[in-house]
Amino acid sequence: MYYINYMHKEPCMVSHNTGMRWLNEVLRGYWKRCVNLFRMDTTTLLSLCNDLEMHYGLKPSRRMSFIEIVAMFLFTIVVGRQIGKCMRVFNIQVKLLVDV
């Protein structure tokens, strides 16, 4: 019983639709969707990402590109999403340490 509850964990995010795929769909899709989600059009968002990378040293992490990082920040702030909903959209796996 202990093993099933605490040791054997199934991954909760198993979708093949990663955050970058979703972001590409938004950026390549109808421009109004990008404006509604990020409050800026595609060219402005990409220009912002380019400026943050070139002038301010934004670096990608091991699992996320800098475009995903900026999009996640804007998506959370602009749309007012909770972290859990943002994690589902961008298909992020977070390992939490739980004291037993």
Side-chain angles (χ1 to χ4, degrees):
M1 186 68 168
Y2 179 84
Y3 178 79
I4 292 171
N5 288 336
Y6 299 106
M7 301 303 248
H8 179 70
K9 298 292 183 186
E10 294 292 326
C12 61
M13 304 291 182
V14 293
S15 173
H16 295 289
N17 191 17
T18 63
M20 198 60 197
R21 281 189 189 166
W22 177 81
L23 188 58
N24 282 332
E25 287 177 12
V26 170
L27 295 178
R28 291 188 179 137
Y30 190 57
W31 71 273
K32 190 150 186 133
R33 185 174 179 202
C34 185
V35 171
N36 287 338
L37 290 173
F38 305 121
R39 299 294 189 254
M40 60 184 74
D41 63 349
T42 303
T43 55
T44 307
L45 178 62
L46 294 176
S47 176
L48 172 66
C49 292
N50 188 33
D51 286 346
L52 289 172
E53 182 187 26
M54 295 295 172
H55 300 294
Y56 298 102
L58 181 66
K59 303 275 187 226
S61 68
R62 284 187 293 139
R63 297 182 184 197
M64 293 181 72
S65 68
F66 61 90
I67 296 172
E68 282 181 283
I69 294 169
V70 172
M72 184 182 300
F73 173 75
L74 290 173
F75 183 75
T76 305
I77 298 300
V78 171
V79 182
R81 296 288 180 165
Q82 296 172 345
I83 276 297
K85 291 179 183 176
C86 192
M87 286 171 52
R88 283 190 290 277
V89 169
F90 285 88
N91 197 20
I92 300 170
Q93 292 182 357
V94 177
K95 294 181 182 177
L96 300 174
L97 298 175
V98 178
D99 292 331
V100 179

